[in-house]
Amino acid sequence: MKDPSYNVHRTMAMSICGMYGSGAISLFGFVDCKFRIFFPSKRPKSFLSKGVCAIVACAASAVFSDSVKDDYTQRNLELLASRGVELEEIVDIVDGLQRPYNPDMERKLCEEHVLGVLRKQQTFHAIQLAIKIDTAVEAEEFSKQYNYTVGQDEGLFGVDESVASAIPLLYGTIAITNFGYLDKAKPGVIAELDSNHEAGKCNTFIDDIVCGIAAAACGRLAHNNTPKYSKPLK
Ligand code: MG
């Protein structure tokens, strides 16, 4: 624990902060660095101390984020529709992923949790940025090389996933693992977006945004509705 390169205790603590957004992660860094000032009698290198830093950072971040009372649902739905993505298509993906764990659930439950993700400001910020980049590539606003790299969605270009991951990060590890799965499996509208390159179309960022929203809705649903089965039925 004395080795300054040991970081697993920070990694574990930051997994808590992830659920409160990037603001909480920044605050975690600050509280961690200033630990001796805040908690002069505690050991700064223990697992417990990092957990305390995470709780303080999350609580401080929640004070900011809870003051945002605006509902971004309608604006997010309009942005998605402007790129050909409808609410029902995202609900289909969530239903497909969650049905094996909860065969009796009503489809409406999936819609409720997709809308829950869409009402958040951080979702709005990610969708807005993603669409701005896709449309800027279509309008050839970047350098020739960058337009090509993003427009062709080159294999080693990963900024699209980074932007979209801001959404599932708020809903815990279930959302994150579903995000990775959806990025590979590409069910439904995700594959349609991914394969549509006609007439200079760029969907490099929006397909990951759909993965992010659906994955986040899965995490939100799982944490708010105890499923009848913890494992999918065969
Ligand atoms: Mg992509």
Side-chain angles (χ1 to χ4, degrees):
M1 193 66 81
K2 292 285 184 192
D3 187 337
S5 66
Y6 186 81
N7 264 320
V8 178
H9 50 346
R10 282 193 187 84
T11 307
M12 288 174 66
M14 285 176 67
S15 70
I16 304 172
C17 299
M19 298 182 77
Y20 291 85
S22 50
I25 294 173
S26 302
L27 286 166
F28 173 79
F30 175 73
V31 180
D32 188 24
C33 288
K34 302 290 183 186
F35 190 86
R36 285 288 194 200
I37 296 173
F38 293 117
F39 308 102
S41 63
K42 305 286 184 200
R43 289 176 56 236
K45 291 186 179 300
S46 67
F47 275 85
L48 180 62
S49 72
K50 302 308 173 198
V52 170
C53 290
I55 292 167
V56 170
C58 292
S61 182
V63 170
F64 298 130
S65 56
D66 284 358
S67 68
V68 179
K69 299 296 181 195
D70 290 349
D71 185 340
Y72 288 86
T73 310
Q74 196 52 40
R75 277 180 278 181
N76 281 330
L77 286 170
E78 286 166 10
L79 281 169
L80 291 168
S82 75
R83 300 299 290 177
V85 179
E86 299 299 329
L87 172 64
E88 285 304 304
E89 292 171 312
I90 304 177
V91 173
D92 282 343
I93 296 167
V94 176
D95 193 312
L97 284 178
Q98 290 301 303
R99 183 70 53 190
Y101 297 92
N102 205 346
D104 304 326
M105 74 175 176
E106 291 191 20
R107 179 183 165 82
K108 198 80 183 158
L109 187 65
C110 299
E111 182 182 305
E112 177 191 317
H113 286 286
V114 172
L115 291 173
V117 172
L118 290 175
R119 76 179 300 281
K120 290 191 74 72
Q121 186 188 49
Q122 186 152 331
T123 307
F124 176 63
H125 290 160
I127 295 176
Q128 198 171 202
L129 178 61
I131 291 177
K132 188 70 189 170
I133 297 172
D134 278 348
T135 52
V137 168
E138 289 173 0
E140 300 183 346
E141 291 179 18
F142 295 110
S143 70
K144 200 171 178 182
Q145 184 192 22
Y146 198 78
N147 270 320
Y148 181 83
T149 300
V150 183
Q152 295 301 308
D153 199 3
E154 286 194 348
L156 295 179
F157 182 76
V159 183
D160 43 349
E161 283 88 359
S162 297
V163 171
S165 67
I167 305 171
L169 267 174
L170 296 169
Y171 295 91
T173 49
I174 292 175
I176 294 296
T177 51
N178 274 295
F179 179 64
Y181 172 75
L182 290 174
D183 186 41
K184 289 292 171 204
K186 302 188 192 308
V189 70
I190 300 169
E192 291 171 27
L193 291 166
D194 184 63
S195 60
N196 181 6
H197 291 288
E198 64 192 43
K201 191 83 179 167
C202 177
N203 287 327
T204 299
F205 279 73
I206 193 67
D207 63 341
D208 297 286
I209 287 289
V210 174
C211 290
I213 296 167
C218 288
R220 196 177 191 275
L221 190 156
H223 282 289
N224 284 282
N225 300 274
T226 309
K228 193 181 286 182
Y229 307 101
S230 61
K231 299 271 187 194
L233 292 177
K234 297 290 180 199

